Amino acid sequence: SVAARFGVDETKLRRLLYEQTGGMFPELVTRPDLKIFLPPINGMTVYMVGDVSTIPDPDQTLAVRLHDESYDAELFGNLASTGRQWLAFGLEECVKAAQAGGAGG
């Protein structure tokens, strides 16, 4: 789990995320049975590179890039937005992690 990867108690991590999002996602604290939480974020895409079974292994390399898609950069190629460049950089780091035997996403 993410909590295990960070070496923290899952209940405490859920509470902190709930508080830091202004209580936007009460399911974080009211639904401990939910093991996967995907908040309703506009335009979310997940790219996984490498062996995903290595994700919980703290001895393996893990690269993560959170990216908020913006229409001006991704669809229209607007270079005024740096989103596309940061996405490309993040994906490169994920590939490097996979090449090192870990995973990226």
Side-chain angles (χ1 to χ4, degrees), residues 1-3 10-11 14 17 25-40:
S1 73
V2 172
E10 182 176 337
T11 302
R14 285 172 173 261
L17 290 171
F25 306 110
E27 296 84 3
L28 285 167
V29 291
T30 62
R31 295 285 311 272
D33 60 309
L34 294 178
K35 296 303 177 190
I36 296 176
F37 179 70
L38 296 174

Side-chain angles (χ1 to χ4, degrees), residues 49-105:
V49 183
D51 182 0
V52 296
S53 69
T54 64
I55 291 173
D57 185 349
D59 295 324
Q60 294 294 331
T61 303
L62 175 64
V64 177
R65 166 70 172 114
L66 300 177
H67 179 72
D68 179 21
E69 296 176 4
S70 61
Y71 291 113
D72 61 339
E74 277 75 23
L75 293 179
F76 303 119
N78 182 352
L79 295 179
S81 172
T82 60
R84 178 181 281 182
Q85 292 89 342
W86 281 113
L87 176 60
F89 171 78
L91 289 173
E92 288 173 13
E93 292 301 309
C94 291
V95 169
K96 288 178 188 176
Q99 290 171 336

Side-chain angles (χ1 to χ4, degrees), residues 4-23:
R5 183 75 184 210
F6 289 132
V8 299
D9 178 69
E10 182 176 337
T11 302
K12 289 181 182 178
L13 178 60
R14 285 172 173 261
R15 170 60 64 179
L16 180 64
L17 290 171
Y18 170 73
E19 291 171 0
Q20 292 299 313
T21 58

